[in-house]
Amino acid sequence: MYHAFDKAMTKSLLYSIIRRMEGEGFRIQGISFDLGNKTLMSQTGLDYTRNHYFKNPFDEKRKVFMFPDAPHLIKLARNHLFDYGFRVPAEDGTLVPLVKKDFEDVLAKNRGGSELRTVFSLSRAHLDVKGSQRQRVRLAVQTLSNRVAEAMLEAGPQNLEYKAKYTAVKLFNDWFDVMNAKSRNDKNPLSCGMSPEINGAKQLLILDNMEQFLLKFHVMDTAEKQYAPKSKQPWQHGFLCSIKATKEIYLQLVVNTGTFKFILTAKFNQDCLENLFSRLRALGGDNCHPTPIEALRRMRILLLVSGADLLISKPSVEM
C-alpha cells in the first residue's frame, strides 16, 4: 500500500495520513513521489538523497520506503542527456561521451528505404521534444530503448566507446522494464512480477548494474565550463533511492517472509494518480489548473456521473 503526494503535502500531513490509514487497517509499506516537493524533502528524515525509507509514524519498528516515480525519472534522464550529455563508463575504466548527436546519427541512418531502417519507433519528434512533449513518458522510453541501443552500436565503429554507449542506453531500458512490471507474467522477462520463481534474480542483477553505473557516470556541464562534471542531480539520487527501496521491499515481502509471491513494481509509481489528475483537468476545458473547490466538484462528477467519457489529448501517462 502506498500514498502518492504532491507539492502541497507537508511532513505533518503525510504522517497524519499514514497514522489514519494504519488505524483503519491499512498497512503502509511505501510512498511514491516525483521529486517536486522540495519543502517536504528538506525536512529531517525524508531526504531521499540520503535514505530510501523513514520510520513508520504509526509503528516505528517498521519502515516506510520511498519510491521516486520511475516514469518521471526516465523523462528527467532523457532531458538531461539531450540538454547536457553524459559521460558513461567503458570497459577499460574510462568515461566516454553519450550525447544527443549519437541519437541524431541513429535517426540519420534510418531515413532510407524500408530495407535500410531498423528503428521505426525513433522520429524527429523524439529528438526535438519541447514544452509539454518533454512530459510524455512514451517518447522518453522509446528513445532510451533496446532497439535504439542496438542501432547505436551498429552505427559506429566496433570499439569500446560505442559499446559503452550501447550498454548505457540498454541499461536505462532494462531498468525501466524492471521498474514497470504490471503483471506476473509478461512476454518481456524483465517486466514480469518480481519473484524468485520467475525472473527475480535477473531483475535484481539489472538493479545492481544500474546502481553501479549511477555511481560512475556523470552529467556534463556546458561548453563554457569545458564540459566538467556537474554535481549529482536530484534525479540521479532518485534512481538510487528507487533501486534501494525496491530491492529491500522485495527481500522483505517476497524472499524473507513470503508475505507475497511476487511484487508488481508498476504499483510503486504514480500512474494511477496522474490518470486521475488528467481526468480532473479535462473536465474544466481550458481551465486545467482547478482550485481545491473546483477539484472537489470535478471529483464528484467523476464519482457520480455514470459513463462520463473524457477525451484527453496526448496525456503524460497513457490511460
Side-chain angles (χ1 to χ4, degrees):
M1 188 70 190
Y2 70 90
H3 179 81
F5 56 86
D6 62 14
K7 296 180 181 180
M9 185 68 71
T10 63
K11 182 178 178 181
S12 59
L13 179 57
L14 172 64
Y15 278 17
S16 175
I17 291 172
I18 291 176
R19 290 191 187 99
R20 171 166 287 192
M21 294 185 70
E22 290 271 359
E24 293 294 332
F26 293 96
R27 189 176 178 88
I28 307 301
Q29 300 286 2
I31 59 172
S32 176
F33 56 98
D34 61 7
L35 310 186
N37 194 333
K38 293 183 172 57
T39 301
L40 179 63
M41 294 304 154
S42 65
Q43 298 183 36
T44 305
L46 295 182
D47 184 359
Y48 70 92
T49 65
R50 299 181 181 180
N51 300 308
H52 59 282
Y53 68 88
F54 58 91
K55 292 182 179 179
N56 190 315
F58 185 82
D59 179 3
E60 293 196 351
K61 294 180 181 179
R62 290 161 40 208
K63 298 177 180 178
V64 177
F65 297 102
M66 297 189 289
F67 295 96
D69 185 48
H72 188 69
L73 292 176
I74 199 72
K75 289 185 296 184
L76 290 174
R78 187 277 316 276
N79 293 345
H80 279 76
L81 171 57
F82 282 4
D83 293 346
Y84 300 99
F86 296 164
R87 286 198 179 275
V88 299
E91 290 181 356
D92 60 358
T94 60
L95 293 175
V96 302
L98 175 65
V99 295
K100 185 177 181 179
K101 186 179 182 305
D102 293 311
F103 297 85
E104 298 271 7
D105 292 343
V106 170
L107 182 61
K109 289 182 179 294
N110 277 268
R111 285 178 176 167
S114 59
E115 71 279 0
L116 300 177
R117 297 183 64 188
T118 58
V119 188
F120 291 91
S121 59
L122 189 67
S123 67
R124 195 72 248 171
H126 291 79
L127 303 185
D128 295 336
V129 284
K130 297 179 181 179
S132 62
Q133 295 299 305
R134 289 166 68 94
Q135 301 303 317
R136 295 190 62 193
V137 179
R138 179 179 289 273
L139 294 180
V141 173
Q142 290 177 336
T143 301
L144 298 172
S145 66
N146 268 338
R147 189 163 294 179
V148 171
E150 292 169 358
M152 191 173 293
L153 184 63
E154 295 171 357
Q158 300 298 310
N159 56 30
L160 292 180
E161 178 178 351
Y162 276 83
K163 187 175 181 180
K165 297 175 189 285
Y166 158 81
T167 301
V169 175
K170 178 174 172 52
L171 190 53
F172 277 106
N173 171 87
D174 292 349
W175 170 85
F176 188 76
D177 286 346
V178 173
M179 294 300 298
N180 198 42
K182 297 179 179 178
S183 62
R184 183 175 185 179
N185 297 295
D186 191 276
K187 61 181 180 180
N188 178 359
L190 294 181
S191 294
C192 295
M194 290 188 71
S195 167
E197 300 175 356
I198 307 176
N199 208 30
K202 189 171 183 179
Q203 290 167 316
L204 284 178
L205 180 61
I206 294 297
L207 296 181
D208 289 338
N209 290 343
M210 176 57 88
E211 186 173 5
Q212 293 303 312
F213 172 84
L214 290 166
L215 297 175
K216 295 177 182 177
F217 102 112
H218 65 253
V219 180
M220 293 190 293
D221 214 320
T222 60
E224 291 76 12
K225 297 184 179 181
Q226 300 180 339
Y227 303 109
K230 290 179 70 72
S231 59
K232 195 174 290 293
Q233 302 297 300
W235 64 267
Q236 293 173 258
H237 290 293
F239 266 82
L240 291 169
C241 179
S242 71
I243 290 171
K244 293 176 181 178
T246 300
K247 290 195 296 186
E248 188 165 345
I249 200 172
Y250 170 67
L251 293 175
Q252 175 181 306
L253 297 181
V254 180
V255 178
N256 296 336
T257 64
T259 305
F260 295 100
K261 291 184 178 180
F262 62 93
I263 59 172
L264 301 178
T265 51
K267 300 294 184 181
F268 301 154
N269 65 41
Q270 294 188 132
D271 280 2
C272 58
L273 188 66
E274 295 289 352
N275 286 338
L276 174 61
F277 286 169
S278 293
R279 295 175 71 86
L280 291 176
R281 293 189 190 101
L283 276 173
D286 292 335
N287 180 15
C288 58
H289 297 287
T291 65
I293 297 299
E294 290 172 339
L296 287 175
R297 290 172 179 166
R298 296 181 191 184
M299 178 69 78
R300 188 178 294 115
I301 293 173
L302 289 178
L303 292 174
L304 299 180
V305 179
S306 176
D309 295 327
L310 303 177
L311 179 61
I312 302 174
S313 176
K314 297 180 180 180
S316 298
V317 178
E318 298 209 357
M319 304 175 62

